[in-house]
Amino acid sequence: MAYERLGKDAGEFRCCDTDFRIQAMGLRASYAVAAVRRTAKTLEQQLDAFDATSAVSELNKKGAVKNDHVARLVRRGLEYYDRTDHVFDIHQGRVEHDLKDFLRGTQHSLPDTFETGTVTVDNDHVRTSAPLDLNGLAKGYIVDQAAETLDGLGRHGFVSGGGDMSPPTGPVAIESPYGDDTPLKTLDTDWAVATSGGYRRERDGTDHIYDPTAERLGSRHESVTVVARRDCMEADAVATTLAALSLADAKSLAQEWPHLDALIIHDGVFHPTTNFTDHVVDT
């Protein structure tokens, strides 16, 4: 009877405006795949800024919310705000909202005003004087939480959400930003992975990346892949930050960030951090 509960299963569903994929192996694999989907969808309902009923929307409309998941994202966002000299800036909710509306075709003009408000966190209470942009953290956070749901006694696997991935259980390919089927590199790593770049969401030469310190819209590189020991949320946030920075600044920040490696593709040239090849399979 116990044997019948062992095996492997996989699943796919839409979440955070992208395709999520799950692979589970071991005890009650099918149960775990279903549980991961429930976890991801439940968190999406709370963290989707474009869902009028979400906790993030409530925060942005009312200036306050009580939600443990939102509080975790805000704490991490404020940490990265300091560590990136304000390039990763969760205070830019209006810019993020207007930019996404432009990319979706529901708005015809680009945002032209960057502003910074004040944010405070007290346990699970968050207060803000300006709308927040938590999208640079939310997908990575959902991947992390979903992966925790998947892992269990006698079971392992991974969760992937549109370029953001919990530590993979085998080799994974880095997607080419040039529209071909040849991967940039193949990774074999036990760190979380995230890829960012303008090729994923673009309209009229503008994509979803922005640098509020330079008041500049658009990724500066074709692709940025980050592997981070801490978690997928960190990989996601740093990949977004590096995509917004100049090549020199991106290389410097990635090289200095502890327990993290990156591969930046700029004008067709590969720029890896010193130890990035530790995560690459020889092909």
Side-chain angles (χ1 to χ4, degrees):
M1 192 69 168
Y3 174 79
E4 295 176 354
R5 298 170 64 195
L6 295 172
K8 62 181 180 180
D9 199 4
E12 183 173 327
F13 59 94
R14 291 289 292 179
C15 182
C16 303
D17 203 27
T18 192
D19 292 323
F20 266 59
R21 295 180 175 85
I22 317 157
Q23 187 175 92
M25 292 157 281
L27 185 66
R28 303 185 72 191
S30 296
Y31 168 85
V33 168
V36 165
R37 186 184 187 281
R38 288 194 298 270
T39 296
K41 297 299 288 185
T42 297
L43 289 172
E44 180 187 30
Q45 290 171 358
Q46 299 177 63
L47 302 177
D48 183 1
F50 288 85
D51 181 346
T53 65
S54 73
V56 173
S57 288
E58 180 181 349
L59 173 64
N60 286 341
K61 286 184 291 187
K62 299 180 179 179
V65 75
K66 181 180 179 181
N67 184 283
D68 182 57
H69 298 295
V70 175
R72 292 183 192 180
L73 293 186
V74 170
R75 284 193 188 91
R76 190 72 76 88
L78 292 175
E79 174 190 331
Y80 296 142
Y81 179 68
D82 291 336
R83 293 179 67 181
T84 65
D85 291 330
H86 303 178
V87 175
F88 189 90
D89 187 359
I90 63 171
H91 305 86
Q92 303 296 333
R94 288 192 179 90
V95 169
E96 186 267 348
H97 196 282
D98 289 348
L99 185 54
K100 291 291 175 59
D101 278 347
F102 174 82
L103 295 176
R104 291 172 174 175
T106 57
Q107 181 169 305
H108 299 296
S109 60
L110 288 166
D112 58 6
T113 301
F114 290 81
E115 58 186 354
T116 299
T118 58
V119 184
T120 60
V121 188
D122 182 12
N123 294 322
D124 59 354
H125 286 76
V126 182
R127 294 175 175 82
T128 179
S129 65
L132 300 186
D133 174 12
L134 301 178
N135 276 11
L137 298 163
K139 185 149 64 79
Y141 178 76
I142 291 173
V143 167
D144 289 330
Q145 296 299 305
E148 285 188 19
T149 301
L150 186 154
D151 286 339
L153 181 64
R155 185 177 63 242
H156 68 287
F158 69 90
V159 179
S160 174
D164 294 356
M165 183 180 294
S166 66
T169 55
V172 294
I174 302 176
E175 181 182 60
S176 170
Y178 305 115
D180 57 70
D181 295 329
T182 303
L184 296 178
K185 294 286 183 180
T186 300
L187 302 180
D188 190 359
T189 181
D190 56 3
W191 291 5
V193 183
T195 298
S196 185
Y199 70 98
R200 290 184 175 274
R201 283 172 284 181
E202 185 267 344
R203 177 189 172 196
D204 297 340
T206 300
D207 56 66
H208 68 290
I209 302 295
Y210 62 84
D211 176 2
T213 64
E215 298 193 354
R216 182 186 184 279
L217 302 174
S219 175
R220 294 177 183 262
H221 321 292
E222 289 97 300
S223 174
V224 176
T225 297
V226 167
V227 290
R229 189 174 77 177
R230 185 177 185 180
D231 52 25
C232 191
M233 185 160 47
E234 177 142 301
D236 191 11
V238 177
T240 300
T241 303
L242 298 182
L245 288 171
S246 69
L247 179 59
D249 289 341
K251 289 169 62 177
S252 176
L253 181 66
Q255 190 65 52
E256 294 171 0
W257 201 286
H259 311 304
L260 180 141
D261 287 298
L263 173 65
I264 303 165
I265 312 299
H266 182 87
D267 289 343
V269 179
F270 288 32
H271 299 271
T273 53
T274 301
N275 295 323
F276 185 81
T277 54
D278 293 347
H279 308 273
V280 176
V281 177
D282 291 331
T283 56

